[in-house]
Amino acid sequence: MHSMVEQWSQARIRTLLALRTSMAELDTDDLFAELAYSTRIAQEVTCGRWCAVADLLRAGAVESWAQIGLAMGMTAVEARNGFHAWIAGQVAIRQRNGTIGITGAQSAELTNLAQAVDQ
């Protein structure tokens, strides 16, 4: 991850310098690198967010989906629906490979905790 951030940062700095000064020419390879690295960094950073929501629910720390949505930069409905979609995806992964993902019992637990927040 550190290497990706460093490569993104270097491409971003070169792009900014090219845009702000006449000392360097704008390099489209840097723009594509910046786009690719920023996308991959965002994916890496956000991949565990639903696990954090699950842990918050288990800890009894979630008062509303609006609270989760605010923390995630989305609406309450998007947060709730996203979490339920994540649960379904995790169950499907578990059914395909048998080890990764969440079990039916874990799914039921998280669904019940999520629905309790809805009320």
Side-chain angles (χ1 to χ4, degrees):
M1 177 75 146
H2 175 70
S3 175
M4 272 192 291
V5 172
E6 183 64 30
Q7 291 174 17
W8 168 83
S9 180
Q10 290 172 4
R12 183 70 187 138
I13 289 169
R14 287 189 302 269
T15 298
L16 288 173
L17 286 173
L19 290 171
R20 303 288 186 257
T21 69
S22 60
M23 295 173 54
E25 186 175 317
L26 187 61
D27 185 343
T28 56
D29 286 341
D30 279 338
L31 291 170
F32 277 112
E34 184 181 340
L35 180 61
Y37 286 120
S38 65
T39 299
R40 183 69 180 131
I41 290 165
Q43 290 169 340
E44 288 290 324
V45 169
T46 61
C47 71
R49 65 187 179 167
W50 297 117
C51 294
V53 173
D55 291 339
L56 285 166
L57 287 167
R58 287 183 186 113
V62 179
E63 296 174 12
S64 70
W65 284 105
Q67 177 188 26
I68 296 296
L70 180 64
M72 296 177 77
M74 58 180 66
T75 69
V77 171
E78 291 169 330
R80 183 186 65 230
N81 291 347
F83 185 69
H84 287 293
W86 176 79
I87 291 171
Q90 290 298 304
V91 168
I93 289 170
R94 182 66 172 237
Q95 289 171 341
R96 282 194 303 273
N97 69 45
T99 55
I100 300 171
I102 63 174
T103 66
Q106 291 167 321
S107 169
E109 172 202 15
L110 291 172
T111 298
N112 289 335
L113 290 170
Q115 288 173 342
V117 171
D118 290 339
Q119 300 170 2

